[in-house]
Amino acid sequence: MLVTMKEMLEDAKKNHYALPAFDVSNYEMMKAVLETCEEEKSPALLMGLGVDLKGRDLNLLTSMIKGASEFYNIPICFHLDHATDLEFIKSAIGAGFSSVMFDGSVLPFEENAKKTAEVTKFAHTKGITVEAELGHVGNASVGSISETGTDTDPGESLTVPEEVKKFVEITDVDALAVAIGTAHGVYQKTPELRIDRLDEITAICDRPLVLHGGSGTPDDQMKNAIHHGITKINIYSDVLFALNQGLKNYLNTMTNPSTWPFLVYEDAIKMMKDVVREKLRTFGSSGRV
Ligand SMILES: [Zn+2]
């Protein structure tokens, strides 16, 4: 069944674990995430990215996930990742997303707060959860594949704790993405999370906190971040790597191009499931259903 992100994250906050949130771009990624979450008895937090939701694809991907949610005995949330436009958010909610992120993180504080408040006001009348971002999580390497798909990223700016309280008051967001040292995409060097900064935010913010750029961040640092208040960690690049590596392994040795797709994707799905399982267990969301 489809649920909002709010109920998922509130349980995670109360019980001190985090949900890995997986961007899914196609059927195989969806299947790998949902099957593994059900096997692990974890709620499933799936996300869609604008690049996969152009034109009719918005309705196709949403219909597929809504349909699939009836066949799995776990709570499922389908969350719109990194939207920057209220009209698109309205279309996404109309298409069936149960949660949305408005990303105004490159805007000045006042403008980010004002636009986020507009999104929240609209979404809350429909019972939809809103995540926003304060500070900015940059891209690990310009020009690489990233969650945001942009190569014009202004770079990282850490969340300023003094701004958090005011931002939450103005916007009434349900979850807040913070910048504490992670980045989107593939890291060129190991990140060093600013847990001291996270503690300052946790002390004054009663909303669930979100970490973007989870792929490639060392497990001990992510566990520490969860211990200090993070309840959702976004994962894309790690699953993408597994998908493409699995396909590459198979296609490099394939002699007959008229091979069944289920055989072509077999290794890729298994490799994605291993990544998903590892995140569910590391973040403590296994066994919560
Ligand atoms: Zn992100």
Side-chain angles (χ1 to χ4, degrees):
M1 66 192 145
L2 273 190
V3 301
T4 68
M5 195 165 77
K6 191 179 165 97
E7 45 195 294
M8 271 188 193
L9 296 192
E10 278 175 356
D11 188 69
K13 192 169 189 283
K14 200 170 88 194
N15 295 299
H16 308 289
Y17 66 95
L19 288 149
F22 299 101
D23 286 296
V24 291
S25 296
N26 63 17
Y27 171 78
E28 282 75 18
M29 293 173 92
M30 176 194 78
K31 184 176 155 82
V33 173
L34 289 179
E35 267 185 20
T36 314
C37 286
E38 192 176 61
E39 287 161 13
E40 289 290 310
K41 297 187 168 32
S42 168
L45 187 34
L46 277 62
M47 302 189 294
L49 276 169
V51 69
D52 298 317
L53 304 169
K54 289 181 179 149
R56 213 181 285 186
D57 287 347
L58 169 65
N59 296 84
L60 281 171
L61 193 71
T62 315
S63 303
M64 179 175 79
I65 288 170
K66 269 197 298 191
S69 71
E70 293 171 24
F71 297 98
Y72 291 87
N73 290 318
I74 47 172
I76 296 168
C77 169
F78 192 36
H79 173 77
L80 178 64
D81 199 12
H82 286 290
T84 53
D85 176 67
L86 178 59
E87 289 312 308
F88 181 66
I89 286 176
K90 286 180 178 173
S91 311
I93 290 173
F97 275 87
S98 57
S99 177
V100 297
M101 176 195 189
F102 173 73
D103 180 359
S105 63
V106 297
L107 303 172
F109 176 88
E110 297 294 342
E111 205 181 336
N112 185 7
K114 185 170 167 277
K115 290 195 166 177
T116 301
E118 283 173 32
V119 172
T120 309
K121 200 173 162 208
F122 175 80
H124 284 178
T125 62
K126 310 268 178 196
I128 303 292
T129 305
V130 178
E131 173 187 335
E133 181 168 325
L134 190 60
H136 179 68
V137 178
N139 285 341
S141 60
V142 171
S144 70
I145 297 168
S146 74
E147 272 186 61
T148 50
T150 173
D151 59 1
T152 54
D153 191 84
E156 178 193 41
S157 56
L158 293 181
T159 304
V160 179
E162 292 72 34
E163 291 181 349
V164 170
K165 206 165 180 225
K166 194 175 165 202
F167 189 82
V168 171
E169 275 168 15
I170 297 171
T171 62
D172 192 28
V173 281
D174 305 289
L176 187 67
V178 291
I180 54 164
T182 54
H184 291 115
V186 179
Y187 286 109
Q188 305 299 303
K189 65 179 176 63
T190 308
E192 285 289 339
L193 297 193
R194 289 282 305 274
I195 299 297
D196 57 326
R197 183 66 66 111
L198 176 59
D199 282 339
E200 290 177 54
I201 298 165
T202 311
I204 52 167
C205 182
D206 61 346
R207 307 299 153 104
L209 299 176
V210 179
L211 195 62
H212 284 237
S215 292
T217 304
D219 282 355
D220 60 334
Q221 291 199 45
M222 286 197 287
K223 280 185 182 171
N224 203 16
I226 295 166
H227 185 66
H228 289 260
I230 293 291
T231 57
K232 167 178 178 263
I233 302 180
N234 287 14
I235 305 287
Y236 187 41
S237 297
D238 283 351
V239 177
L240 208 53
F241 182 91
L243 167 67
N244 290 333
Q245 192 60 54
L247 279 176
K248 212 160 167 251
N249 293 348
Y250 191 89
L251 294 173
N252 281 344
T253 57
M254 187 170 79
T255 51
N256 176 12
S258 295
T259 302
W260 293 103
F262 84 88
L263 289 174
V264 175
Y265 279 101
E266 201 171 22
D267 278 359
I269 289 177
K270 189 181 169 303
M271 286 171 70
M272 286 193 283
K273 288 185 74 171
D274 287 346
V275 170
V276 172
R277 194 178 318 280
E278 197 263 321
K279 303 294 179 199
L280 295 172
R281 291 183 181 179
T282 303
F283 299 174
S285 71
S286 289
R288 301 286 176 175
V289 174

